Amino acid sequence: KAEEQKSVFGDVQLGVDVLADDLMWEVCKSEPLIKEGASEEEPEVREVHADGKYCIVWDPLDGSAIVDNNWAVGTIVGIWGASTGILGATGRDQVAAMVANYG
C-alpha cells in the first residue's frame, strides 16, 4: 500500500499526492504568469511571481485513495485574475477551470 501521512485537514495524504503537488509547484515557479498559488496539500497562499497575472488553486491528485486499485484519478485546477486573488474569490470571479483525468 502507498505510504501515508496526514494533510493539514487531517486527511490521509499519500506519497503520490505529495509528488503531484510538488510537480504543480514547480510549474508555478517556472511560469511568470502565475502570481499566487495554493493547493489541497498546502492550502496556505504563496506568492510565486509578484508581477504575475493569475492566481491558481488545485487538487493535484483527486481520488488518490483509489490509485492502488488502478481506477481513474485526476487533477482539478481553478484560475482567478491577480486583481481578484485567491482569498475571498468566488466561482463567478473565476476566469478558467480545468479537470484532467488519468487512468
Side-chain angles (χ1 to χ4, degrees), residues 4-75:
E4 297 178 359
Q5 59 189 38
K6 296 279 186 177
S7 73
V8 296
F9 301 111
D11 297 329
V12 171
Q13 187 180 46
L14 303 175
V16 69
D17 289 313
V18 175
L19 177 64
D21 196 52
D22 288 347
L23 290 170
M24 291 294 292
W25 280 114
E26 289 304 314
V27 169
C28 289
K29 290 174 189 171
S30 67
E31 179 49 66
L33 286 173
I34 299 174
K35 178 178 179 152
E36 298 174 334
S39 75
E40 182 185 36
E41 309 309 318
E42 292 187 43
E44 193 134 334
V45 176
R46 285 196 224 167
E47 184 175 87
V48 287
H49 298 283
D51 295 332
K53 297 183 186 297
Y54 299 99
C55 299
I56 181 170
V57 178
W58 63 88
D59 180 345
L61 201 60
D62 189 52
S64 60
I66 59 174
V67 164
D68 286 346
N69 297 328
N70 201 28
W71 290 6
V73 296
T75 300

Side-chain angles (χ1 to χ4, degrees), residues 79-81 84-96:
I79 302 170
W80 288 264
T84 302
I86 294 171
L87 300 177
T90 69
R92 290 182 184 190
D93 299 324
Q94 202 169 40
V95 297

